[in-house]
Amino acid sequence: MGDRPWQQPHEQASYPHAGMVQAASSSAHGGIIRKEAGGGYDMAEFDQALFLYLNSQDQTSAIQDQPQTLNIFPSQPMHVVEPALPKGSMLGTNHTTPNAGAGPSSKRSPPAGGPKDGKPAAVKREAGSSGGATGSGTPSTSNQQEGPRTPDAKTLRRLAQNREAARKSRLRKKAYIQNLETSRIRLSQLEQELHRSRTQCKLFAEAAWFDMEHARWQEEHGKMMRHLRAALEAEEHAAAPAAEAQLRQMVDAAAAHHGVLAELKAAVARADAFHLVSGAWVSAAERCFLWIGGFRPSELIKVAVRHAEPLTEPQAMGICGVQQWAREVEAALDHELQAMHRSVSEAVSSDAAALLCPYSDVPGYMATMSLAIGKLASLEAFVRQADALRLQALHRLPQILTARQSARCFLAIAGYSHRLRALSELWHTRPRHEPAASTPAAGSSHGPPYQSRDGLL
């Protein structure tokens, strides 16, 4: 041990096998092989010492012959360099490798990376073996440095198909949205038409109801007039005060029955005044003499007075006064009605540009129509005023005339309406003969012959 000055004490401690060999050697040469009392050597102890020595040699050879393996799973990052330990540290001795031929008598050479001044050198761990063994899991440098690859023809074709499918999808979506917008507009139009149809149905229902009620009123009024005619004939034959009183009651009932017709007109005028003003509920001949939903009061008075003659002077003056009053009221109503007609006409034709393009200004168009509708709403008031004037004229006649004369007046008014209705039926059922074509004489001109005024007369 003394002839190895370069060996440090801590290096000797790091090789336990060498110590074992030395112990076995010293024990073999020293105290293990003892002499017996007779001067001979104990061979059993010699064999034991030899076995221990050979065993230590086999263990050392096995350690040196074991191949070095790659540390695949290092405990620290591979690029980290272990710091140098201070001199004399016990951890620095673990990095030295024992000599393959260490034994009790073999010499040791200093490690290849050993420090010259007693400091341990830092060992840098590297990834993978020195021979470039595979299995390290690190990508190659050539793969990392490759640029973007150019797509192949299949990929380009698929991208083009995707773009075409997206374009077609956008077109379908646009067409679907346009279809929805068209359907929405159509639905709005259908709602308006449905609302208009419901309104028209309501108006038609009101008009139909009034026509039915007017027909019933005419039937009842005809029965009343037949009873009045019978009472008038009985009163003329009897000439009694009781018969005249009964006749007066029947005349008052006839005047009140005209009031029932005025109430029916007022009811339908709130829904459709045009139906009354147009005269769709009367015959064609009656429609020619119509005035705001009925006959003119002055005309009714003139028809009635013809059947009330002979009149006394006071009666004639009274009748003339009622007739003059009726004409004045009629003139006032005519003036107001004409003013309403002019205002409606001006409201409808106020926007000349809308006539060329009706839908250019929809808000303005609707405002104009609303104004015209507001002015036409006064037709209901005109119908009420005209009916009121007719009722007043009919109620004033019995106040001036006698019961018999008043009965004749109501019978004349009823007969007047009945004859007009009969005239309408005869007009529609009249025979229609087409004029025969006159054949011109030979040698005459193709034009019609000249006739003088005297010849026409």
Side-chain angles (χ1 to χ4, degrees):
M1 297 296 294
D3 57 348
R4 301 172 185 174
W6 51 272
Q7 187 175 5
Q8 300 296 333
H10 63 277
E11 293 180 355
Q12 296 179 2
S14 60
Y15 299 99
H17 302 289
M20 294 174 59
V21 173
Q22 291 176 2
S25 176
S26 59
S27 61
H29 293 282
I32 295 178
I33 303 176
R34 294 186 302 270
K35 292 182 178 182
E36 295 180 353
Y41 290 94
D42 188 1
M43 297 303 296
E45 293 180 357
F46 177 79
D47 294 336
Q48 183 178 2
L50 183 59
F51 175 77
L52 290 175
Y53 173 74
L54 294 176
N55 188 19
S56 63
Q57 291 290 332
D58 294 337
Q59 291 179 358
T60 303
S61 300
I63 291 174
Q64 290 179 354
D65 294 336
Q66 182 178 1
Q68 295 182 358
T69 59
L70 179 63
N71 189 6
I72 300 177
F73 303 99
S75 60
Q76 294 182 358
M78 298 181 180
H79 64 278
V80 177
V81 179
E82 295 182 359
L85 296 178
K87 184 179 180 180
S89 176
M90 295 299 295
L91 296 177
T93 60
N94 295 332
H95 296 284
T96 58
T97 304
N99 194 1
S105 61
S106 63
K107 295 183 180 181
R108 292 185 181 182
S109 62
K116 298 180 179 181
D117 53 354
K119 296 182 179 181
V123 179
K124 182 177 181 180
R125 298 182 180 180
E126 296 179 0
S129 61
S130 58
T134 61
S136 60
T138 58
S140 61
T141 307
S142 61
N143 294 335
Q144 294 179 356
Q145 294 179 357
E146 289 183 356
R149 295 183 303 174
T150 303
D152 53 357
K154 183 178 180 181
T155 304
L156 293 176
R157 185 170 58 255
R158 185 172 299 175
L159 291 176
Q161 292 176 356
N162 293 340
R163 286 193 296 268
E164 182 67 17
R167 187 183 67 83
K168 292 181 179 180
S169 177
R170 288 192 297 268
L171 292 177
R172 286 194 301 268
K173 182 179 179 182
K174 185 177 180 180
Y176 179 72
I177 293 174
Q178 291 178 355
N179 190 16
L180 287 180
E181 186 66 19
T182 305
S183 301
R184 185 189 66 82
I185 296 174
R186 180 57 181 168
L187 180 60
S188 178
Q189 293 177 355
L190 290 177
E191 290 178 354
Q192 294 178 0
E193 292 179 0
L194 179 61
H195 179 70
R196 190 182 304 109
S197 300
R198 288 178 178 176
T199 305
Q200 291 178 356
C201 289
K202 184 178 179 181
L203 296 177
F204 292 157
E206 294 287 341
W209 170 81
F210 175 76
D211 294 343
M212 182 179 62
E213 292 296 328
H214 178 255
R216 187 179 303 171
W217 181 88
Q218 283 183 341
E219 184 178 357
E220 293 177 0
H221 194 71
K223 292 180 181 179
M224 188 176 292
M225 291 299 103
R226 287 193 293 269
H227 291 306
L228 182 60
R229 183 178 291 107
L232 180 61
E233 293 177 356
E235 194 273 334
E236 289 179 353
H237 291 290
E244 186 175 357
Q246 184 181 1
L247 188 61
R248 174 68 66 178
Q249 291 178 359
M250 296 183 69
V251 168
D252 293 339
H257 198 245
H258 281 280
V260 173
L261 180 59
E263 292 178 359
L264 293 176
K265 290 180 181 180
V268 74
R270 289 190 294 267
D272 187 10
F274 283 107
H275 185 69
L276 293 175
V277 175
S278 63
W281 50 282
V282 293
S283 62
E286 289 177 298
R287 199 176 302 129
C288 294
F289 301 95
L290 205 63
W291 178 77
I292 315 179
F295 295 110
R296 286 181 178 269
S298 60
E299 292 292 332
L300 291 177
I301 294 174
K302 183 168 43 176
V303 171
V305 170
R306 290 175 184 173
H307 297 270
E309 297 175 350
L311 299 174
T312 63
E313 186 176 352
Q315 288 178 347
M317 291 180 60
I319 293 297
C320 288
V322 173
Q323 195 171 11
Q324 183 66 27
W325 165 79
R327 288 174 180 175
E328 291 178 356
V329 178
E330 289 172 7
L333 287 177
D334 286 337
H335 181 72
E336 294 180 1
L337 186 62
Q338 291 177 3
M340 187 269 293
H341 288 168
R342 287 193 301 269
S343 62
V344 172
S345 178
E346 291 175 358
V348 172
S349 62
S350 60
D351 192 2
L355 298 177
L356 301 177
C357 187
Y359 303 102
S360 60
D361 187 10
V362 176
Y365 176 80
M366 295 305 298
T368 302
M369 292 295 104
S370 299
L371 181 61
I373 291 174
K375 294 182 179 299
L376 285 175
S378 59
L379 278 177
E380 180 183 353
F382 283 109
V383 172
R384 291 177 179 273
Q385 293 178 12
D387 285 336
L389 179 60
R390 279 185 284 267
L391 288 176
Q392 291 178 11
L394 293 177
H395 282 87
R396 282 192 179 187
L397 289 178
Q399 297 175 3
I400 299 173
L401 304 175
T402 62
R404 183 182 297 179
Q405 289 175 335
S406 300
R408 286 178 178 273
C409 289
F410 280 99
L411 287 174
I413 293 173
Y416 179 69
S417 298
H418 177 72
R419 286 187 177 94
L420 288 177
R421 288 193 296 271
L423 179 60
S424 298
E425 292 178 0
L426 293 174
W427 174 259
H428 291 298
T429 58
R430 74 186 188 280
R432 295 175 175 84
H433 299 288
E434 299 200 2
S438 59
T439 304
S444 63
S445 61
H446 295 283
Y450 174 76
Q451 295 180 354
S452 64
R453 182 176 179 182
D454 297 336
L456 291 175
L457 294 175

